[in-house]
Amino acid sequence: MSALLEVHNLCKNYPMPGTLLYRQQITALYPLTFTLERQQSLAIIGEAGSGKSTLARLLAGVEKPTSGDIILNGYPLTEKLQRQRHKDIRLIFQDAKDSLSPGVKIGSTLDNALKLNTDLAKEERIQKIGRTLIKVGLLPEHAEYYPHMLSGGQLQRIALARALILDPQIVILDEALGALDPSIRAQIVNLLLELQESMHLSYIIVTHQLNLVKHMSDNVLVLNEGKLVESNETNRLFMSPTHEYTQRMIASRNI
Amino acid sequence: MNLLDVRNLTIELPTHDQQIIAVDRVSMTIREGEILGLVGESGSGKSLIAKAIVGVLNNRWKVTADRMQWMGEDLLRLPVEERREIIGRDISIIYQEPSRCLDPTAKVGEQLKESIPNSILKANFWQRRKARQEKAEGLLHKVGIKNHKRVMNAYPHELSEGVCQKVMIAMAIAKCPKLIIADEPTASLEATTRAQIFRVLKSLNQLKNTSILLITHDFEIISHWTDHTNVLYCGQLVESGKTSDIITKPFHPYTDALITSVPDFKEATAHKQKLVTLPGTIPSLEHLPIGCRLGPRCPNAKRECVIAPKMTKRQSHSVACHFPLNLTKKETIT
């Protein structure tokens, strides 16, 4: 059986402003190849500007790659499969508060995701919302709440519910744990690990918190200035980093 | 010698139907040349305390304290002018979002030069301009910025967050303060830049004997850089003492939960193992529980916990809890 997600020579250039006809380009991400198995977690680490967020956005389909293929379940993702992709790959952003619309009830936020991507009837949608909210540790009644009535940790759970409501295969966490308080963060980490077990999810974790990477991920990609400098199993990478850049990063973990 | 001595600092916000007590009788002392940590989650009032010390809180907040002495002078009982003079001379504060705290319309160099007081430039008035420029360059070198020309001619948005934070530190140390209050100085920074910032602060502490009040929510930072630590939960001080004591033998269940919630920090955690957490979330200021504010989330809460526990001391390690952890039968807290 082929891997859940295969990425071949994915690459992204941005036109450089200020040059004649935007002919010069900045390479945000040099060609990159990796695979992700089912129920595994892949961590992407690197400094600011290393292209890790760009990679997350490319995978989620927020931006189009300059070249390269993303293959999900053996099928290359093209324009035609866009809808399937939105269902299967879901993205969670760093700041849950900013990513939820303040004037829309939690229920409608979740309902919109269903309306746009599925053909469920109204009753089914309401049931599904209730089930998903319970799954992330909230109550169905929370659907009637507005975002400002919930705390940061609960909002992050809502963001997670919005990702999970379409039964995805891959969830991308773009710095999603960075802004949380430590005791809440541990709760969310536990929740994520539980859901990985029960729903056979794969995670792509983009972060700069190395102890979480070590705890949660199976494989790690290290990016530096858009280039892949190292990729390995988590344990091996932390035990014996080969590239100098990774060594420096791991050393600064134990300041 | 005690630099800053705060006793029972209470910060209240009067609203139309109730009095919200955001910070409830917090006491702390900062000695000369010490790095004191203040740990707490969001909403625990740690930034409020920092702002109350330097007196920049909005007028709506009511700040009371039994005493708030800065080298023997009670700051709260001084006239505003005098207080401002003392604070302006001796205390600097570094805020958590540097790019938002710098003036976006002025060049970094101008802002830096503005923060250098005349009194430390040992020069006549016609030499001041040059002396100030040199001093500013020197400050940037001190915080680890080599390319001073580029940085001084840049606007804050052109610089990265790490460089902005270094500029903030340069501004803070320009007047050679006795105390630096660092309010989450590295919240938005990468691991490598974070280490650099702390190295700069540590060297200041060692070379100039500057005291530092380090406010953060990250126990890892606290364990590496501080001598003493105060742990704050929802505006109540729950534990204070030597950092090494607190980490090896936390008395309060909250401190214990904070320490064990970090994977691989105190003891090795297995891969993908469940982390220890407290149930529930941090209560909002309007709905604070009575008594010990950890009560509803605490794993060993009992009936006594509806009465707020007093700070009790054992050697130099004090805790506010009716049922402290990690005590053998013999060692009862007195």
Side-chain angles (χ1 to χ4, degrees), chain A residues 39-41 46-48 52 151 153-154 175 178 180-187 189-191 193-194 196 208 210-218 234-235 248-249 252-255, chain B residues 40-43 46 187-196 198-199 217-218 220-221 224-225 254 258 261-264 269-282 297:
Chain A
Q39 216 177 331
Q40 296 259 311
S41 307
E47 284 183 341
K52 56 189 197 314
S151 68
Q154 285 172 321
E175 301 276 9
L180 296 173
D181 283 311
S183 73
I184 306 298
R185 186 162 64 210
Q187 283 177 5
V189 169
N190 284 352
L191 177 66
L193 293 175
E194 250 168 57
Q196 181 161 49
H208 58 248
L210 292 181
N211 53 9
L212 282 181
V213 169
K214 195 176 175 195
H215 188 67
M216 288 181 70
S217 68
D218 300 290
T234 308
N235 275 338
R248 196 146 40 89
M249 239 162 93
S252 73
R253 183 174 88 112
N254 317 312
I255 346 168
Chain B
E41 293 179 286
S42 57
K46 47 195 195 318
S188 46
L189 305 181
E190 311 281 327
T192 35
T193 355
R194 194 166 75 182
Q196 281 173 5
F198 280 119
R199 253 176 257 134
H217 63 242
D218 197 338
E220 278 181 283
I221 294 174
H224 280 108
W225 300 103
Y254 177 66
L258 271 191
S261 73
V262 182
D264 279 334
T269 37
H271 190 58
K272 293 200 178 180
Q273 179 199 337
K274 289 278 147 61
L275 300 174
V276 185
T277 59
L278 291 175
T281 55
I282 307 155
R297 297 179 70 193

